[in-house]
Amino acid sequence: MGKITGFMEFDRQVEAYVPVKERIKNYKEFTQPLKENQIKRQGARCMDCGIPFCHSGCPLGNLIPDFNDAVYQGKWEKAARILHSTNNFPEFTGRLCPAPCEEACVLGINEDPVSIENIEKNIVEIAFESGWIKPITPHKKTNKTVAVIGSGPAGLATAQQLNRAGHSVTVFERDEKIGGLLRYGIPDFKMEKHIIDRRLQVLKDEGITFNTGIHIGKDIPAQVVKEAFDALVLCGGATVKRQLPIPGADLKGVVQAMDFLPQNNRKVDGIPFKGEDISAKGKHVIVIGGGDTGSDCIGTSIRHGALSVTNFEIMPRATLSRPHGQPWPFWPMRLRTSSSHDEGAERVFSIATKKFIGDDKRNLKGLLTVEVEWVKTPGKRPQLKEIKGTEKEWTCDLVLLALGFTGSETTMAEQLGLEIDTRTNIQASAVNYKTNVPGVFVAGDQRRGQSLIVWAISEGRQAAHHVDTYLMGYSHLPLKGEGDLPRI
């Protein structure tokens, strides 16, 4: 695919960033797009590798060599059709996906992999600019109705696929706007919200109905919704925040990341928010958790005007190269440095927080840590061990807990009589996404637990296929890795 010798002629190139001093002044995206001829060269790097392992790396099964080749040839509309045949929202994944496809790229065995994610982003942006992305309405309606609970990537993908199959789809969202964590969890400097609104308008024009500000299970009993529709798909995500149960966890200034980030996104969007204003301005901030959410907290705190930002990670510092035991094409747990880390955060690894320290008014003023190590025993899970004599007290005014989620809320599951697992995920078959209650399906993080946007879209697409089959006895909707109809 691409140019046969392209991988030998061209080096990997990705978008540059606006300098730190400039970009931290606002919440706008700060990547600087490549020129068209540069993107074509990146497409040319895609090898004629025989077996494209990038397909197995991508949860959506995107037809990566095909759209890379189209980009190299300058056939952008063809590339957009290929990309949209397996991915409903490449503008989301092209900005936010950690790109497991690139870790599985054959070229990545001994060279820099093809810049698949950036190519994907450029394809969809050119498609929007060129007016190629238009509403697709079904040729025939089925008179079947489907309710989708949750408007994150899983819910939106489910809704679009089922609408295209001819069903009447209604999406319920408890927040004031559509998008789930795409809107309220992802900072604007990673994805500005007009990107969501642009796609949302397409979905509305296709005929999908959106109802916001309605919390199913609270405002309306879940059973009432189930009885009003022919099928119900739960895509509410994993929303139960992991706690840090140590002394002082209730001090003022110990804040969950997913309280901090949604509030800031509402501020940026001009949406009124409830509760006390959470600001990092003029504070020493410590972010506990080394994942993407922790990185988002760092970038947001720096834009607030924090005096300092420190990032704690309980795991040891990873290597830059692939660790032993994680060979290609598997996803490697290597050291990843985000743009937010580069904006001025100190990173501390192999450290655990023992307690939070407050003043006489219950305000956070510091915390106590200890260094740790992971002891490995053959045949057993690694055990966390504290290193004696390494206790240290840190000054801080704000701690952000970016520890992920432990599962989903159980209200709807209880009202519908759904089975849940030990992590409060709703149990459903990975084969057909059916729950133990007929007519009720579940997809995304609410089924599989906290995961990636690309997995959410994949689950939404696959669940839609099985809902369609349940309603009609058959389905023409594609499954993973299958191209949809050749249109955008």
Coordinates of all heavy atoms in Angstrom, one line a residue, residues 14 16 23 134 141 146 177 190 199 222 237 251 263 365 393-394 400 407 422 437 483:
V14 N 4.6 14.3 12.5 CA 3.3 14.5 13.1 C 3.1 16.0 13.3 O 4.1 16.8 13.1 CB 3.1 13.8 14.5 CG1 3.0 12.3 14.3 CG2 4.2 14.2 15.5
A16 N 3.0 19.7 14.8 CA 3.8 20.4 15.8 C 2.8 21.1 16.8 O 1.6 21.2 16.5 CB 4.7 21.4 15.2
R23 N 0.2 28.6 24.3 CA -1.0 27.7 24.4 C -1.6 27.7 25.7 O -2.8 27.4 25.8 CB -0.6 26.3 23.9 CG 0.2 25.5 24.8 CD 0.7 24.2 24.1 NE 1.2 23.2 25.0 CZ 2.3 22.5 24.7 NH1 3.0 22.7 23.6 NH2 2.8 21.6 25.5
K134 N -22.4 14.4 4.9 CA -23.8 14.9 4.9 C -24.7 13.9 5.6 O -24.3 12.7 5.7 CB -24.3 15.0 3.4 CG -23.5 16.1 2.6 CD -23.9 16.1 1.2 CE -23.1 17.1 0.4 NZ -23.5 17.2 -1.1
K141 N -38.3 3.2 6.7 CA -38.5 3.1 8.1 C -39.1 1.8 8.5 O -39.9 1.2 7.8 CB -39.4 4.2 8.6 CG -38.8 5.6 8.4 CD -37.6 5.9 9.2 CE -37.9 6.1 10.6 NZ -36.7 6.5 11.4
V146 N -36.3 2.6 19.4 CA -35.2 2.2 20.3 C -34.9 3.4 21.1 O -34.7 4.5 20.6 CB -34.0 1.8 19.5 CG1 -32.9 1.3 20.4 CG2 -34.3 0.6 18.5
K177 N -26.1 18.9 27.9 CA -25.7 18.8 26.5 C -25.3 17.4 26.1 O -24.9 16.7 27.0 CB -24.6 19.9 26.1 CG -25.0 21.3 26.1 CD -24.0 22.2 25.5 CE -24.4 23.6 25.4 NZ -23.4 24.5 24.7
K190 N -7.7 19.7 24.2 CA -7.5 18.4 23.5 C -8.6 18.2 22.4 O -8.3 17.6 21.3 CB -7.6 17.2 24.4 CG -6.4 17.1 25.3 CD -6.4 16.0 26.3 CE -6.4 14.7 25.7 NZ -6.4 13.6 26.7
R199 N -20.7 17.3 14.5 CA -21.2 16.0 14.2 C -22.6 15.8 14.7 O -23.4 15.1 14.1 CB -20.3 14.9 14.8 CG -20.7 13.5 14.6 CD -20.6 13.1 13.2 NE -19.3 12.9 12.7 CZ -19.0 12.4 11.5 NH1 -19.9 11.9 10.7 NH2 -17.7 12.3 11.1
A222 N -36.6 3.5 34.8 CA -36.0 2.8 33.7 C -37.1 1.9 33.1 O -37.2 1.7 31.9 CB -34.8 2.0 34.1
G237 N -22.0 4.4 30.5 CA -20.6 4.6 30.8 C -20.2 4.1 32.2 O -21.1 3.7 33.0
L251 N -11.1 16.2 53.5 CA -10.6 17.6 53.7 C -11.0 18.4 52.5 O -11.1 17.9 51.4 CB -9.1 17.6 53.9 CG -8.5 17.1 55.2 CD1 -7.0 17.1 55.1 CD2 -9.0 17.9 56.4
Q263 N -16.5 20.7 35.6 CA -16.8 22.0 36.0 C -16.0 23.0 35.1 O -16.6 24.0 34.7 CB -16.4 22.3 37.5 CG -16.8 23.7 37.9 CD -16.3 24.0 39.3 OE1 -15.3 24.6 39.5 NE2 -17.1 23.6 40.3
K365 N -3.7 21.2 53.6 CA -2.4 22.0 53.6 C -1.2 21.1 53.2 O -0.1 21.7 53.0 CB -2.2 22.6 55.0 CG -1.8 21.7 56.1 CD -1.5 22.4 57.3 CE -1.0 21.5 58.5 NZ -0.6 22.2 59.7
E393 N 6.7 14.6 53.6 CA 5.6 15.5 53.7 C 5.6 16.5 52.6 O 6.7 17.1 52.3 CB 5.5 16.2 55.0 CG 4.2 16.9 55.3 CD 4.0 17.4 56.7 OE1 4.3 16.6 57.6 OE2 3.6 18.6 56.9
W394 N 4.5 16.7 51.8 CA 4.5 17.7 50.7 C 3.5 18.8 51.0 O 2.4 18.5 51.6 CB 4.0 17.0 49.5 CG 4.8 15.8 49.0 CD1 4.9 14.6 49.6 CD2 5.7 15.7 47.9 NE1 5.8 13.8 48.9 CE2 6.3 14.4 47.8 CE3 6.0 16.6 46.9 CZ2 7.1 14.0 46.9 CZ3 6.9 16.2 45.9 CH2 7.5 14.9 45.9
L400 N -5.9 16.5 43.2 CA -6.9 16.0 42.3 C -6.7 14.5 42.1 O -5.6 14.1 41.8 CB -6.7 16.7 40.9 CG -6.9 18.3 41.0 CD1 -6.5 18.9 39.6 CD2 -8.3 18.6 41.3
G407 N -16.7 1.3 38.2 CA -17.9 0.7 37.6 C -18.9 1.7 37.2 O -18.7 2.9 37.2
T422 N -19.0 -8.1 39.8 CA -18.4 -7.6 41.0 C -17.9 -6.1 40.9 O -17.7 -5.5 41.9 CB -17.2 -8.5 41.5 OG1 -16.2 -8.5 40.4 CG2 -17.7 -9.9 41.8
V437 N -32.3 -9.6 30.6 CA -33.7 -9.1 30.4 C -33.9 -8.9 28.9 O -33.2 -8.2 28.2 CB -34.0 -7.8 31.1 CG1 -35.4 -7.3 30.8 CG2 -33.8 -8.0 32.6
G483 N -16.7 -3.3 6.4 CA -17.0 -2.0 5.8 C -18.5 -1.8 5.7 O -19.2 -2.8 5.3

